[in-house]
Amino acid sequence: MSTETLPSDPAPQAVGNLQGFKFNMGHQETDRVVDELEVILKQVRQSAGDAWMSADSAMLMLCNSLGYEDQEEFEDALRTSFTEFLKALPHIESKVQDDGSRADGKLVFRFKPLPPAAERKMFIKKFKITTREDLWRVCHKAPSAVVEIPEIEFEIGADAKRKIDSIYNHIASAVYNLSMHVSKLGNQISQDHKEKIGETVQQLNALLDVTEPFTFVLHDRTGISEIVPEEGVNTEFGGEAEEDPLETEDRKAQELLDAIGEDDEEGGEGETDGAPDQNKVTMLDVD
């Protein structure tokens, strides 16, 4: 990408505006780790429901899957401890296990349970960006959510994937994707089309420089997305939320687990007192 398509210089990271965030949620390695962590947690949920997972076990799995030699190299790449990283993720809940089990005293975590769709509201969140520090708010964009920047009539569409990143990087990723689109298609698209995309790229990079205030609008029919911190964010609620596609996938997997459990009980292979163990921990540390 030529220097003409880049903002003048990176926006300053205003860590003070991100309560409890001691690192840059927007750098590339955190994106890789979040993606891989999603895969691991989905496997846990599909096999063990809402069980908690030990942070030490997860870190070992992430080191193996992402190619890190040890915890020190992994946390150097994150630029923070794995504990702080987990606590910063808006869709994760964590705690120190306190039940006398093998996991007692260890940090455990899981996906933060969502209220049922029937109890949520679809919404539109609007945040007026007036300074470059505002670009370092963290935006949790749900898989079905759409980002709109009305001042330049631009949208970042739904992509069936959860995206947790700074507002700066949400926009910068759109710049990169547009530039790669032109580069890959080359002569397959008209010169007029290339020029229009180039104009959009220039407009997006002007936003990253915050040459003028603009509005970051988050449309979410599933009622899951967040902008953190919420100060200065205007939320307009609509009707009952829709179920997110990933939420549907999890629900169907849980229904299958429940059906298997019922079959086991009918066969006399297991007895329960009816209530799930809310402190159950799976995938403990390898001794």
Side-chain angles (χ1 to χ4, degrees), residues 41-267:
L41 284 176
K42 281 184 183 179
Q43 292 172 346
V44 171
R45 176 172 283 182
Q46 290 170 3
S47 63
D50 285 329
W52 298 81
M53 182 177 190
S54 83
D56 289 343
S57 292
M59 185 159 53
L60 285 173
M61 296 176 70
L62 288 167
C63 285
N64 289 333
S65 61
L66 297 175
Y68 292 103
E69 290 186 2
D70 52 31
Q71 174 181 342
E72 183 177 358
E73 184 182 22
F74 175 65
E75 293 186 329
D76 281 348
L78 279 181
R79 305 176 191 173
T80 187
S81 70
F82 189 51
T83 296
E84 291 295 333
F85 178 79
L86 289 174
K87 290 179 179 179
L89 296 175
H91 65 308
I92 296 292
E93 63 177 357
S94 62
K95 66 175 184 176
V96 174
Q97 191 74 358
D98 182 22
D99 62 354
S101 69
R102 184 183 175 192
D104 190 71
K106 295 181 180 293
L107 182 72
V108 296
F109 68 100
R110 65 182 180 183
F111 278 133
K112 187 182 295 181
L114 290 171
E119 297 177 12
R120 303 196 305 265
K121 297 289 186 181
M122 57 181 67
F123 57 68
I124 299 174
K125 291 182 179 290
K126 297 180 180 179
F127 178 49
K128 194 75 171 180
I129 294 177
T130 59
T131 70
R132 301 187 75 197
E133 286 77 11
D134 290 336
L135 293 171
W136 289 100
R137 297 284 182 109
V138 171
C139 173
H140 169 201
K141 179 177 175 291
S144 298
V146 172
V147 169
E148 176 194 6
I149 303 174
E151 287 82 355
I152 63 171
E153 299 182 349
F154 181 77
E155 286 189 356
I156 301 173
D159 58 5
K161 175 184 173 184
R162 193 194 321 266
K163 179 73 172 178
I164 301 171
D165 218 331
S166 61
I167 291 175
Y168 182 98
N169 271 14
H170 277 285
I171 297 172
S173 293
V175 170
Y176 175 79
N177 291 335
L178 287 171
S179 300
M180 288 302 297
H181 176 72
V182 172
S183 177
K184 288 180 178 179
L185 292 182
N187 294 330
Q188 298 179 47
I189 57 177
S190 68
Q191 185 61 34
D192 181 60
H193 192 184
K194 289 181 182 179
E195 289 176 359
K196 288 180 178 178
I197 293 176
E199 290 173 5
T200 300
V201 167
Q202 293 289 348
Q203 288 176 317
L204 289 170
N205 278 320
L207 298 183
L208 295 179
D209 282 331
V210 195
T211 54
E212 294 181 358
F214 67 95
T215 314
F216 187 86
V217 184
L218 187 58
H219 300 258
D220 189 358
R221 300 180 65 83
T222 62
I224 297 173
S225 300
E226 300 175 80
I227 297 176
V228 181
E230 279 274 350
E231 182 182 356
V233 177
N234 179 51
T235 304
E236 302 172 4
F237 291 98
E240 182 179 311
E242 298 174 357
E243 191 174 62
D244 184 88
L246 296 183
E247 193 176 9
T248 302
E249 179 183 324
D250 288 341
R251 176 176 55 78
K252 290 182 177 179
Q254 185 60 51
E255 289 173 353
L256 179 59
L257 284 173
D258 292 344
I260 293 172
E262 290 174 2
D263 288 343
D264 288 344
E265 289 181 16
E266 290 175 1

